[in-house]
Amino acid sequence: MDIKTATALRRLRLVSAPEAVSFLILLVCSVLKRTTDFDAVPVMGAIHGVLFVLYVIFWADAWNRTKWSLKTAALYFVLSVLPTGGFFAERKLRREAEDAVIAARARKEGVVSA
């Protein structure tokens, strides 16, 4: 894995958890707006919107660089629209990055030929 691909995956991983948190907070704010006088939906909506747009941009970049299958790319996109999906995406991306590091070290040490 080259440095640009690793960077694309890292950016996607780093934005996925905050996007999930902002989605959950937005849901809480929506409920509070309907049940109390507290109205933080415009602020949280904007924050979540920016994070979601960043996620989609980083997702597209990662898909382009990693050459994921359509199934894998769709999975990461679907995880972005689920309330807690960003946490699962972050975890899966972290594992993928760790596996890539292990494979690179093994190739460097001559354990595997690929």
Side-chain angles (χ1 to χ4, degrees):
M1 178 180 308
D2 65 339
I3 191 72
K4 289 184 179 183
T5 304
T7 302
L9 288 173
R10 180 174 162 77
R11 280 190 306 233
L12 181 60
R13 185 174 63 83
L14 290 177
V15 79
S16 63
E19 189 271 336
V21 169
S22 72
F23 193 2
L24 293 173
I25 293 173
L26 180 60
L27 291 175
V28 169
C29 289
S30 296
V31 170
L32 289 176
K33 178 182 178 180
R34 307 279 189 278
T35 58
T36 67
D37 291 333
F38 183 72
D39 185 16
V41 171
V43 173
M44 276 314 300
I47 292 169
H48 174 67
V50 167
L51 289 170
F52 180 74
V53 168
L54 284 174
Y55 184 95
V56 171
I57 291 169
F58 294 159
W59 166 80
D61 184 39
W63 184 12
N64 182 42
R65 293 187 185 283
T66 60
K67 307 298 184 217
W68 286 327
S69 66
L70 184 59
K71 180 181 173 184
T72 302
L75 171 69
Y76 282 122
F77 186 79
V78 167
L79 287 175
S80 74
V81 297
L82 298 175
T84 57
F87 298 120
F88 295 108
E90 191 276 333
R91 188 174 178 189
K92 190 168 175 47
L93 287 164
R94 185 170 17 101
R95 284 185 184 159
E96 189 175 324
E98 289 170 354
D99 290 347
V101 168
I102 291 169
R105 286 182 182 161
R107 279 191 301 274
K108 183 180 178 182
E109 294 175 3
V111 177
V112 233
S113 58

